[in-house]
Amino acid sequence: MKGGATWTQAPAQQRDGKWTAVLDHSGAGGKQVTIKAGFTDAHGNAVSQTITRAYEVR
């Protein structure tokens, strides 16, 4: 399967001064995870990062 074919959004939330996101890996056992994150500040400056093979779901 080509990378990005099964992207799922995971909205981030700020908790205790840290940003977190909960990812749903239902049915993804044995598969590698690629993470793509994008951030935009109040002035419209934006950055994105993709981490290929960040980890494998067990």
Side-chain angles (χ1 to χ4, degrees), residues 21-47:
V22 176
L23 307 174
D24 180 3
H25 296 310
S26 300
K31 295 183 181 177
Q32 300 237 337
V33 175
T34 296
I35 299 172
K36 181 176 183 177
F39 307 92
T40 305
D41 69 13
H43 301 287
N45 300 304
V47 64

Side-chain angles (χ1 to χ4, degrees), residues 28 30-34 52-57:
K31 295 183 181 177
Q32 300 237 337
V33 175
T34 296
T52 304
R53 296 182 179 176
Y55 56 91
E56 185 173 315
V57 178

